[in-house]
Amino acid sequence: MDFKTLDAMDVTDKTALIRVDINVPFENGAVSDFTRIDAILPTINDIVAAGGKAVLLAHFGRPKGKVVPEMSLAQVRPALEARLGKPVAFAEDCIGKPAKDAVSAMKPGDVLLLENTRFHPGEEKNDPMMAASLAALGDIYVNDAFSAAHRAHASTEGIARLLPSCAGRLMEAELKALDAALGNPARPVVAVVGGAKVSTKLDLLGNLIEKVDALVIGGGMANTFLAAQGQAVGKSLCEHDLADTARTVMDKARALGCRLILPTDLVVAREFKANAPSEIVTDCPDDAMILDAGPESVAQIVDVFKTSRTLIWNGPLGAFEIEPFDKATNSAAAEAAQLTRDGTLVSVAGGGDTVAALNRAGAAKDFTYISTAGGAFLEWMEGKTLPGVAALEA
Ligand code: ADP
Ligand code: MG
């Protein structure tokens, strides 16, 4: 990967247009989680400290090209000011006169937030006119929104082609971590792919078996693989129509020398609810469903972790939201955390439920990198080119 970082840019007295992700959750009219805001502070602070003018470009919600007052970024401004510890000016449009006037009024070290880029239809269409209107506001472009980089929009892709561009601190950290996990990883590399369904993760499996040395398949999607091998899965979540696909993945893995690890013992229950009576079996009874991997499977996974140098993880190993079916996920996560603390493993994880599961397990803080990027992380794991990143590399 070859992209410029802030270190390569002269920002003093320059107007830096910074694409950020501040699509933050709200509860009772106030921002309820500051993670995304805190994550962009290093970029803003570095630009401000160097005497640059920081102009923030962002979307909020899905207004679909129209002005929707409930999706105004003005609501995010107080939280931004609080976390940044300084005033943030606001322009009620991200292009045109309101934006130009607000930028003209800035002094070095000032911060300005522009209104929701998605209020204009040109944003999501990556309209060259929209990109040009945005680019006209500044001297350089800084992309700090990896989580929006899988979309070729005017504020993520078009603008990068018009101004000297670089990655912000958050984007830089994310790209470096991802490169260390799949681009140029220390080997052996093990991937864990779990979660509910095979159908949502086919591209992911296809890409990973080409790149990793061992692939652990867990969660509901493992059932589809077990069934494809002729094993009984009872009433488990299982995509029987994907049996051929699962067999193709297994054949391809064998041909490529990628070791596939499926559960060998299963935790089954008759009901999908917390503390439902459960048992550990090797064959799932007809009236039961598989809700987690058993202790023997976990021991095998832990063994693989111990001999690996890099771990990349998406998808829980069981129905982790309900006890005791969070056990395999928790145990494997705790081991990955320990090996990371010991310095023998580089561990990278991402995905909405995966991040929730690793937080629940108390393991997230010890992972080398946890991606909160969601869709962009998955597309990157699928081996797809992210337009927002490609535009920085150009
Ligand atoms: P992510 O959001 O991290 O990409 P997924 O959405 O693919 O992860 O998968 C998470 C979901 O998979 C969770 O809701 C979890 O309960 C479910 N799941 C995992 N194992 C099973 C299972 N054996 N049976 C039913 N659901 C499962
Ligand atoms: Mg999910």
Side-chain angles (χ1 to χ4, degrees), residues 152-218:
H153 292 170
S155 72
T156 64
E157 203 270 356
I159 186 175
R161 311 237 173 238
L162 302 173
L163 288 175
S165 299
C166 73
R169 298 301 183 202
L170 177 63
M171 172 78 93
E172 180 186 348
E174 185 103 27
L175 291 178
K176 281 187 179 156
L178 299 187
D179 196 52
L182 268 194
N184 292 292
R187 289 193 180 271
V189 185
V190 56
V192 172
V193 178
K197 290 181 170 182
V198 173
S199 50
T200 59
K201 298 193 174 175
L202 274 177
D203 290 342
L204 187 64
L205 292 169
N207 185 46
L208 288 177
I209 51 180
E210 289 181 15
K211 301 213 169 116
V212 305
D213 304 289
L215 176 61
V216 174
I217 297 181

Short mmCIF file of all heavy atoms in Angstrom, two decimals, residues 152-218:
data_model
loop_
_atom_site.label_atom_id
_atom_site.label_comp_id
_atom_site.label_asym_id
_atom_site.label_seq_id
_atom_site.Cartn_x
_atom_site.Cartn_y
_atom_site.Cartn_z
N ALA A 152 -17.80 5.03 -3.44
CA ALA A 152 -17.21 6.08 -4.28
C ALA A 152 -18.16 7.26 -4.32
O ALA A 152 -19.04 7.35 -5.17
CB ALA A 152 -16.94 5.55 -5.68
N HIS A 153 -18.04 8.14 -3.35
CA HIS A 153 -18.87 9.33 -3.28
C HIS A 153 -18.02 10.56 -3.54
O HIS A 153 -16.79 10.48 -3.54
CB HIS A 153 -19.55 9.42 -1.90
CG HIS A 153 -20.57 8.34 -1.65
ND1 HIS A 153 -21.14 8.11 -0.43
CD2 HIS A 153 -21.12 7.42 -2.49
CE1 HIS A 153 -22.02 7.11 -0.51
NE2 HIS A 153 -22.01 6.66 -1.76
N ALA A 154 -18.69 11.71 -3.76
CA ALA A 154 -17.95 12.94 -4.07
C ALA A 154 -16.98 13.30 -2.94
O ALA A 154 -15.85 13.71 -3.19
CB ALA A 154 -18.92 14.09 -4.32
N SER A 155 -17.40 13.10 -1.68
CA SER A 155 -16.55 13.50 -0.55
C SER A 155 -15.55 12.43 -0.13
O SER A 155 -14.73 12.66 0.76
CB SER A 155 -17.42 13.89 0.66
OG SER A 155 -17.99 12.72 1.24
N THR A 156 -15.63 11.24 -0.76
CA THR A 156 -14.69 10.18 -0.39
C THR A 156 -13.75 9.82 -1.53
O THR A 156 -12.66 9.31 -1.30
CB THR A 156 -15.42 8.87 0.01
OG1 THR A 156 -16.14 8.37 -1.12
CG2 THR A 156 -16.38 9.08 1.17
N GLU A 157 -14.20 10.03 -2.77
CA GLU A 157 -13.42 9.58 -3.92
C GLU A 157 -13.17 10.72 -4.90
O GLU A 157 -12.03 11.03 -5.24
CB GLU A 157 -14.14 8.41 -4.60
CG GLU A 157 -13.24 7.51 -5.42
CD GLU A 157 -13.11 7.95 -6.87
OE1 GLU A 157 -13.79 8.92 -7.27
OE2 GLU A 157 -12.32 7.35 -7.59
N GLY A 158 -14.27 11.33 -5.37
CA GLY A 158 -14.16 12.39 -6.38
C GLY A 158 -13.20 13.50 -5.97
O GLY A 158 -12.30 13.89 -6.73
N ILE A 159 -13.36 13.99 -4.76
CA ILE A 159 -12.55 15.10 -4.27
C ILE A 159 -11.07 14.74 -4.16
O ILE A 159 -10.19 15.58 -4.40
CB ILE A 159 -13.09 15.60 -2.91
CG1 ILE A 159 -12.37 16.86 -2.45
CG2 ILE A 159 -13.03 14.52 -1.85
CD1 ILE A 159 -12.94 17.49 -1.18
N ALA A 160 -10.79 13.47 -3.86
CA ALA A 160 -9.39 13.05 -3.69
C ALA A 160 -8.62 13.16 -5.00
O ALA A 160 -7.39 13.24 -5.01
CB ALA A 160 -9.33 11.62 -3.15
N ARG A 161 -9.35 13.13 -6.12
CA ARG A 161 -8.70 13.21 -7.43
C ARG A 161 -8.44 14.66 -7.84
O ARG A 161 -7.81 14.91 -8.85
CB ARG A 161 -9.58 12.54 -8.49
CG ARG A 161 -10.08 11.15 -8.08
CD ARG A 161 -9.68 10.10 -9.09
NE ARG A 161 -10.00 8.76 -8.61
CZ ARG A 161 -9.11 7.80 -8.46
NH1 ARG A 161 -7.84 8.01 -8.76
NH2 ARG A 161 -9.46 6.62 -8.03
N LEU A 162 -8.96 15.61 -7.05
CA LEU A 162 -8.87 17.02 -7.42
C LEU A 162 -7.90 17.84 -6.57
O LEU A 162 -7.52 18.94 -6.95
CB LEU A 162 -10.26 17.67 -7.35
CG LEU A 162 -11.34 17.02 -8.24
CD1 LEU A 162 -12.70 17.64 -7.94
CD2 LEU A 162 -10.98 17.18 -9.71
N LEU A 163 -7.54 17.31 -5.41
CA LEU A 163 -6.67 18.07 -4.50
C LEU A 163 -5.50 17.19 -4.05
O LEU A 163 -5.62 15.96 -4.07
CB LEU A 163 -7.46 18.47 -3.24
CG LEU A 163 -8.52 19.56 -3.35
CD1 LEU A 163 -9.24 19.70 -2.01
CD2 LEU A 163 -7.91 20.89 -3.77
N PRO A 164 -4.37 17.81 -3.62
CA PRO A 164 -3.33 17.00 -2.98
C PRO A 164 -3.98 16.28 -1.80
O PRO A 164 -4.64 16.93 -0.99
CB PRO A 164 -2.31 18.03 -2.50
CG PRO A 164 -2.60 19.28 -3.27
CD PRO A 164 -4.07 19.24 -3.62
N SER A 165 -3.83 14.95 -1.74
CA SER A 165 -4.60 14.18 -0.76
C SER A 165 -3.73 13.28 0.10
O SER A 165 -2.65 12.86 -0.32
CB SER A 165 -5.61 13.30 -1.48
OG SER A 165 -6.50 14.10 -2.22
N CYS A 166 -4.23 12.99 1.29
CA CYS A 166 -3.52 12.05 2.16
C CYS A 166 -4.51 11.39 3.10
O CYS A 166 -5.67 11.78 3.19
CB CYS A 166 -2.44 12.77 2.95
SG CYS A 166 -3.08 13.81 4.27
N ALA A 167 -4.01 10.35 3.80
CA ALA A 167 -4.81 9.68 4.82
C ALA A 167 -4.65 10.42 6.14
O ALA A 167 -3.55 10.85 6.48
CB ALA A 167 -4.33 8.24 4.98
N GLY A 168 -5.75 10.54 6.88
CA GLY A 168 -5.68 11.09 8.23
C GLY A 168 -5.14 10.04 9.19
O GLY A 168 -4.87 8.91 8.79
N ARG A 169 -4.99 10.40 10.45
CA ARG A 169 -4.38 9.49 11.45
C ARG A 169 -5.17 8.20 11.65
O ARG A 169 -4.60 7.12 11.80
CB ARG A 169 -4.23 10.21 12.79
CG ARG A 169 -3.32 11.42 12.76
CD ARG A 169 -1.93 11.05 12.30
NE ARG A 169 -1.04 12.22 12.35
CZ ARG A 169 0.07 12.30 11.62
NH1 ARG A 169 0.42 11.31 10.80
NH2 ARG A 169 0.83 13.36 11.70
N LEU A 170 -6.49 8.32 11.66
CA LEU A 170 -7.33 7.14 11.88
C LEU A 170 -7.28 6.20 10.66
O LEU A 170 -7.09 5.00 10.79
CB LEU A 170 -8.78 7.59 12.15
CG LEU A 170 -9.83 6.51 12.32
CD1 LEU A 170 -9.52 5.65 13.53
CD2 LEU A 170 -11.22 7.15 12.48
N MET A 171 -7.41 6.79 9.49
CA MET A 171 -7.30 6.01 8.24
C MET A 171 -5.93 5.34 8.16
O MET A 171 -5.82 4.17 7.80
CB MET A 171 -7.52 6.96 7.05
CG MET A 171 -7.24 6.36 5.69
SD MET A 171 -8.57 5.30 5.10
CE MET A 171 -9.56 6.43 4.16
N GLU A 172 -4.90 6.08 8.54
CA GLU A 172 -3.53 5.55 8.50
C GLU A 172 -3.41 4.33 9.43
O GLU A 172 -2.88 3.29 9.04
CB GLU A 172 -2.58 6.67 8.95
CG GLU A 172 -1.12 6.28 8.97
CD GLU A 172 -0.24 7.41 9.56
OE1 GLU A 172 -0.72 8.55 9.74
OE2 GLU A 172 0.93 7.12 9.85
N ALA A 173 -3.94 4.47 10.65
CA ALA A 173 -3.87 3.37 11.62
C ALA A 173 -4.63 2.15 11.10
O ALA A 173 -4.16 1.01 11.19
CB ALA A 173 -4.45 3.81 12.96
N GLU A 174 -5.80 2.39 10.53
CA GLU A 174 -6.63 1.29 10.03
C GLU A 174 -5.92 0.58 8.88
O GLU A 174 -5.82 -0.65 8.85
CB GLU A 174 -7.99 1.84 9.57
CG GLU A 174 -8.99 0.78 9.15
CD GLU A 174 -10.08 0.49 10.18
OE1 GLU A 174 -10.42 1.38 10.98
OE2 GLU A 174 -10.60 -0.63 10.18
N LEU A 175 -5.40 1.34 7.93
CA LEU A 175 -4.74 0.72 6.77
C LEU A 175 -3.49 -0.04 7.18
O LEU A 175 -3.21 -1.11 6.66
CB LEU A 175 -4.40 1.79 5.72
CG LEU A 175 -5.61 2.42 5.01
CD1 LEU A 175 -5.15 3.50 4.03
CD2 LEU A 175 -6.43 1.37 4.28
N LYS A 176 -2.74 0.50 8.15
CA LYS A 176 -1.54 -0.20 8.60
C LYS A 176 -1.90 -1.51 9.29
O LYS A 176 -1.26 -2.54 9.08
CB LYS A 176 -0.73 0.69 9.54
CG LYS A 176 0.10 1.73 8.79
CD LYS A 176 1.03 2.49 9.72
CE LYS A 176 1.85 3.49 8.90
NZ LYS A 176 2.31 4.62 9.75
N ALA A 177 -2.95 -1.46 10.12
CA ALA A 177 -3.37 -2.67 10.83
C ALA A 177 -3.87 -3.72 9.85
O ALA A 177 -3.55 -4.91 9.98
CB ALA A 177 -4.46 -2.33 11.84
N LEU A 178 -4.62 -3.30 8.86
CA LEU A 178 -5.17 -4.25 7.90
C LEU A 178 -4.06 -4.84 7.03
O LEU A 178 -4.07 -6.03 6.71
CB LEU A 178 -6.24 -3.58 7.03
CG LEU A 178 -7.44 -3.04 7.81
CD1 LEU A 178 -8.51 -2.54 6.86
CD2 LEU A 178 -8.02 -4.10 8.73
N ASP A 179 -3.09 -4.01 6.70
CA ASP A 179 -1.98 -4.51 5.90
C ASP A 179 -1.18 -5.54 6.69
O ASP A 179 -0.75 -6.56 6.15
CB ASP A 179 -1.07 -3.34 5.47
CG ASP A 179 -0.14 -3.75 4.35
OD1 ASP A 179 -0.64 -4.28 3.34
OD2 ASP A 179 1.09 -3.58 4.49
N ALA A 180 -1.03 -5.29 7.99
CA ALA A 180 -0.30 -6.24 8.84
C ALA A 180 -1.07 -7.55 9.00
O ALA A 180 -0.50 -8.59 9.32
CB ALA A 180 -0.05 -5.62 10.22
N ALA A 181 -2.38 -7.52 8.78
CA ALA A 181 -3.19 -8.72 8.96
C ALA A 181 -3.33 -9.55 7.69
O ALA A 181 -3.31 -10.77 7.73
CB ALA A 181 -4.57 -8.35 9.48
N LEU A 182 -3.48 -8.90 6.55
CA LEU A 182 -3.69 -9.66 5.31
C LEU A 182 -2.77 -9.27 4.17
O LEU A 182 -2.50 -10.08 3.29
CB LEU A 182 -5.14 -9.50 4.82
CG LEU A 182 -6.18 -10.52 5.26
CD1 LEU A 182 -7.42 -10.38 4.40
CD2 LEU A 182 -5.68 -11.95 5.19
N GLY A 183 -2.30 -8.03 4.18
CA GLY A 183 -1.45 -7.57 3.08
C GLY A 183 -0.08 -8.22 3.15
O GLY A 183 0.33 -8.96 2.27
N ASN A 184 0.64 -7.92 4.23
CA ASN A 184 1.97 -8.49 4.46
C ASN A 184 2.05 -9.07 5.86
O ASN A 184 2.80 -8.60 6.70
CB ASN A 184 3.03 -7.40 4.31
CG ASN A 184 3.14 -6.92 2.89
OD1 ASN A 184 3.57 -7.65 2.02
ND2 ASN A 184 2.71 -5.69 2.66
N PRO A 185 1.29 -10.12 6.13
CA PRO A 185 1.21 -10.61 7.50
C PRO A 185 2.41 -11.50 7.89
O PRO A 185 3.04 -12.10 7.03
CB PRO A 185 -0.06 -11.46 7.50
CG PRO A 185 -0.19 -11.95 6.10
CD PRO A 185 0.42 -10.89 5.22
N ALA A 186 2.67 -11.53 9.20
CA ALA A 186 3.59 -12.53 9.73
C ALA A 186 2.85 -13.87 9.68
O ALA A 186 1.69 -13.95 10.05
CB ALA A 186 3.97 -12.16 11.16
N ARG A 187 3.51 -14.92 9.17
CA ARG A 187 2.85 -16.22 9.03
C ARG A 187 3.31 -17.20 10.10
O ARG A 187 4.40 -17.05 10.63
CB ARG A 187 3.15 -16.78 7.63
CG ARG A 187 2.41 -16.01 6.58
CD ARG A 187 2.41 -16.69 5.23
NE ARG A 187 1.68 -15.87 4.28
CZ ARG A 187 0.35 -15.96 4.06
NH1 ARG A 187 -0.36 -16.85 4.70
NH2 ARG A 187 -0.24 -15.16 3.21
N PRO A 188 2.50 -18.22 10.40
CA PRO A 188 1.20 -18.54 9.80
C PRO A 188 0.08 -17.56 10.19
O PRO A 188 0.11 -17.00 11.26
CB PRO A 188 0.89 -19.93 10.36
CG PRO A 188 2.11 -20.41 11.07
CD PRO A 188 2.95 -19.24 11.37
N VAL A 189 -0.88 -17.43 9.26
CA VAL A 189 -2.07 -16.61 9.49
C VAL A 189 -3.28 -17.52 9.69
O VAL A 189 -3.50 -18.43 8.90
CB VAL A 189 -2.37 -15.70 8.28
CG1 VAL A 189 -3.53 -14.76 8.59
CG2 VAL A 189 -1.15 -14.92 7.86
N VAL A 190 -4.04 -17.24 10.74
CA VAL A 190 -5.29 -17.97 10.94
C VAL A 190 -6.44 -16.97 10.86
O VAL A 190 -6.33 -15.86 11.36
CB VAL A 190 -5.32 -18.74 12.29
CG1 VAL A 190 -5.06 -17.82 13.48
CG2 VAL A 190 -6.66 -19.46 12.47
N ALA A 191 -7.50 -17.36 10.18
CA ALA A 191 -8.71 -16.53 10.14
C ALA A 191 -9.83 -17.27 10.85
O ALA A 191 -9.92 -18.49 10.75
CB ALA A 191 -9.11 -16.23 8.70
N VAL A 192 -10.65 -16.53 11.58
CA VAL A 192 -11.86 -17.09 12.17
C VAL A 192 -13.03 -16.43 11.45
O VAL A 192 -13.11 -15.20 11.41
CB VAL A 192 -11.95 -16.80 13.68
CG1 VAL A 192 -13.31 -17.22 14.23
CG2 VAL A 192 -10.83 -17.49 14.44
N VAL A 193 -13.88 -17.24 10.86
CA VAL A 193 -15.09 -16.70 10.26
C VAL A 193 -16.28 -17.41 10.90
O VAL A 193 -16.40 -18.63 10.84
CB VAL A 193 -15.13 -16.89 8.73
CG1 VAL A 193 -16.43 -16.34 8.17
CG2 VAL A 193 -13.96 -16.17 8.08
N GLY A 194 -17.10 -16.62 11.56
CA GLY A 194 -18.28 -17.18 12.21
C GLY A 194 -19.48 -16.34 11.86
O GLY A 194 -19.49 -15.66 10.84
N GLY A 195 -20.48 -16.40 12.72
CA GLY A 195 -21.69 -15.62 12.47
C GLY A 195 -22.81 -16.50 12.00
O GLY A 195 -22.73 -17.73 12.07
N ALA A 196 -23.83 -15.85 11.50
CA ALA A 196 -25.06 -16.57 11.26
C ALA A 196 -25.05 -17.39 9.96
O ALA A 196 -25.26 -18.59 9.98
CB ALA A 196 -26.22 -15.58 11.26
N LYS A 197 -24.77 -16.73 8.85
CA LYS A 197 -25.04 -17.38 7.56
C LYS A 197 -23.84 -17.42 6.61
O LYS A 197 -23.08 -16.46 6.52
CB LYS A 197 -26.17 -16.64 6.85
CG LYS A 197 -27.51 -16.84 7.51
CD LYS A 197 -28.55 -16.09 6.72
CE LYS A 197 -29.96 -16.44 7.19
NZ LYS A 197 -30.94 -15.74 6.36
N VAL A 198 -23.74 -18.50 5.86
CA VAL A 198 -22.73 -18.63 4.82
C VAL A 198 -23.03 -17.64 3.69
O VAL A 198 -22.13 -17.00 3.15
CB VAL A 198 -22.73 -20.06 4.22
CG1 VAL A 198 -21.80 -20.14 3.02
CG2 VAL A 198 -22.31 -21.07 5.28
N SER A 199 -24.33 -17.46 3.38
CA SER A 199 -24.71 -16.67 2.20
C SER A 199 -24.19 -15.24 2.27
O SER A 199 -23.92 -14.63 1.25
CB SER A 199 -26.22 -16.68 2.02
OG SER A 199 -26.86 -16.34 3.23
N THR A 200 -24.05 -14.69 3.51
CA THR A 200 -23.58 -13.31 3.62
C THR A 200 -22.06 -13.23 3.58
O THR A 200 -21.50 -12.14 3.51
CB THR A 200 -24.05 -12.67 4.94
OG1 THR A 200 -23.54 -13.45 6.03
CG2 THR A 200 -25.56 -12.62 5.04
N LYS A 201 -21.38 -14.39 3.62
CA LYS A 201 -19.93 -14.36 3.75
C LYS A 201 -19.19 -15.20 2.71
O LYS A 201 -18.04 -15.59 2.92
CB LYS A 201 -19.53 -14.76 5.18
CG LYS A 201 -20.09 -13.75 6.18
CD LYS A 201 -19.53 -13.83 7.56
CE LYS A 201 -20.10 -12.68 8.39
NZ LYS A 201 -19.73 -12.72 9.80
N LEU A 202 -19.85 -15.44 1.59
CA LEU A 202 -19.23 -16.28 0.56
C LEU A 202 -17.97 -15.65 -0.03
O LEU A 202 -16.94 -16.31 -0.19
CB LEU A 202 -20.22 -16.54 -0.58
CG LEU A 202 -21.14 -17.74 -0.36
CD1 LEU A 202 -22.12 -17.85 -1.53
CD2 LEU A 202 -20.33 -19.02 -0.21
N ASP A 203 -18.05 -14.35 -0.35
CA ASP A 203 -16.89 -13.66 -0.93
C ASP A 203 -15.74 -13.65 0.08
O ASP A 203 -14.57 -13.77 -0.29
CB ASP A 203 -17.24 -12.21 -1.31
CG ASP A 203 -18.18 -12.17 -2.51
OD1 ASP A 203 -18.27 -13.19 -3.22
OD2 ASP A 203 -18.81 -11.12 -2.72
N LEU A 204 -16.12 -13.51 1.33
CA LEU A 204 -15.14 -13.49 2.41
C LEU A 204 -14.38 -14.81 2.47
O LEU A 204 -13.15 -14.86 2.49
CB LEU A 204 -15.91 -13.25 3.70
CG LEU A 204 -15.14 -13.01 4.98
CD1 LEU A 204 -14.36 -11.73 4.83
CD2 LEU A 204 -16.11 -12.88 6.14
N LEU A 205 -15.13 -15.91 2.47
CA LEU A 205 -14.51 -17.24 2.55
C LEU A 205 -13.61 -17.47 1.34
O LEU A 205 -12.49 -17.96 1.47
CB LEU A 205 -15.60 -18.33 2.61
CG LEU A 205 -16.42 -18.36 3.89
CD1 LEU A 205 -17.62 -19.29 3.73
CD2 LEU A 205 -15.56 -18.81 5.07
N GLY A 206 -14.11 -17.08 0.16
CA GLY A 206 -13.36 -17.28 -1.08
C GLY A 206 -12.03 -16.56 -1.06
O GLY A 206 -11.00 -17.11 -1.48
N ASN A 207 -12.02 -15.34 -0.55
CA ASN A 207 -10.78 -14.57 -0.51
C ASN A 207 -9.84 -15.12 0.56
O ASN A 207 -8.64 -15.25 0.33
CB ASN A 207 -11.08 -13.09 -0.23
CG ASN A 207 -9.84 -12.22 -0.29
OD1 ASN A 207 -9.02 -12.34 -1.20
ND2 ASN A 207 -9.67 -11.37 0.70
N LEU A 208 -10.39 -15.44 1.73
CA LEU A 208 -9.53 -15.86 2.84
C LEU A 208 -8.81 -17.17 2.57
O LEU A 208 -7.63 -17.31 2.92
CB LEU A 208 -10.34 -15.95 4.13
CG LEU A 208 -10.77 -14.61 4.73
CD1 LEU A 208 -11.63 -14.81 5.96
CD2 LEU A 208 -9.54 -13.74 5.07
N ILE A 209 -9.49 -18.13 1.95
CA ILE A 209 -8.80 -19.42 1.74
C ILE A 209 -7.60 -19.27 0.81
O ILE A 209 -6.69 -20.08 0.83
CB ILE A 209 -9.72 -20.58 1.26
CG1 ILE A 209 -10.56 -20.17 0.07
CG2 ILE A 209 -10.57 -21.10 2.38
CD1 ILE A 209 -11.47 -21.29 -0.40
N GLU A 210 -7.60 -18.18 0.03
CA GLU A 210 -6.42 -17.94 -0.82
C GLU A 210 -5.28 -17.31 -0.05
O GLU A 210 -4.14 -17.35 -0.47
CB GLU A 210 -6.80 -17.01 -1.99
CG GLU A 210 -7.69 -17.68 -3.00
CD GLU A 210 -8.03 -16.76 -4.16
OE1 GLU A 210 -7.36 -15.71 -4.31
OE2 GLU A 210 -8.97 -17.09 -4.89
N LYS A 211 -5.59 -16.67 1.08
CA LYS A 211 -4.59 -15.86 1.76
C LYS A 211 -4.11 -16.39 3.10
O LYS A 211 -3.04 -16.00 3.56
CB LYS A 211 -5.14 -14.45 1.97
CG LYS A 211 -5.51 -13.77 0.65
CD LYS A 211 -5.29 -12.28 0.69
CE LYS A 211 -5.40 -11.68 -0.70
NZ LYS A 211 -6.50 -10.76 -0.82
N VAL A 212 -4.90 -17.23 3.75
CA VAL A 212 -4.53 -17.64 5.10
C VAL A 212 -4.08 -19.11 5.13
O VAL A 212 -4.37 -19.88 4.21
CB VAL A 212 -5.68 -17.41 6.11
CG1 VAL A 212 -6.13 -15.95 6.08
CG2 VAL A 212 -6.86 -18.33 5.83
N ASP A 213 -3.39 -19.46 6.20
CA ASP A 213 -2.88 -20.83 6.35
C ASP A 213 -3.91 -21.75 6.99
O ASP A 213 -3.94 -22.94 6.73
CB ASP A 213 -1.59 -20.80 7.18
CG ASP A 213 -0.57 -19.87 6.53
OD1 ASP A 213 -0.05 -20.26 5.47
OD2 ASP A 213 -0.33 -18.76 7.04
N ALA A 214 -4.74 -21.17 7.87
CA ALA A 214 -5.79 -21.97 8.51
C ALA A 214 -7.04 -21.11 8.62
O ALA A 214 -6.96 -19.91 8.84
CB ALA A 214 -5.35 -22.42 9.90
N LEU A 215 -8.19 -21.76 8.44
CA LEU A 215 -9.47 -21.05 8.51
C LEU A 215 -10.40 -21.79 9.46
O LEU A 215 -10.75 -22.95 9.21
CB LEU A 215 -10.08 -20.95 7.11
CG LEU A 215 -11.47 -20.32 6.98
CD1 LEU A 215 -11.48 -18.88 7.47
CD2 LEU A 215 -11.93 -20.37 5.53
N VAL A 216 -10.75 -21.12 10.54
CA VAL A 216 -11.70 -21.67 11.51
C VAL A 216 -13.09 -21.22 11.09
O VAL A 216 -13.33 -20.02 10.94
CB VAL A 216 -11.39 -21.15 12.93
CG1 VAL A 216 -12.47 -21.61 13.91
CG2 VAL A 216 -10.01 -21.59 13.39
N ILE A 217 -13.98 -22.16 10.89
CA ILE A 217 -15.36 -21.81 10.56
C ILE A 217 -16.23 -22.13 11.77
O ILE A 217 -16.19 -23.26 12.28
CB ILE A 217 -15.86 -22.55 9.31
CG1 ILE A 217 -15.00 -22.13 8.10
CG2 ILE A 217 -17.33 -22.24 9.04
CD1 ILE A 217 -15.41 -22.76 6.80
N GLY A 218 -16.97 -21.15 12.23
CA GLY A 218 -17.78 -21.35 13.44
C GLY A 218 -19.15 -20.73 13.28
O GLY A 218 -19.53 -20.26 12.21
#
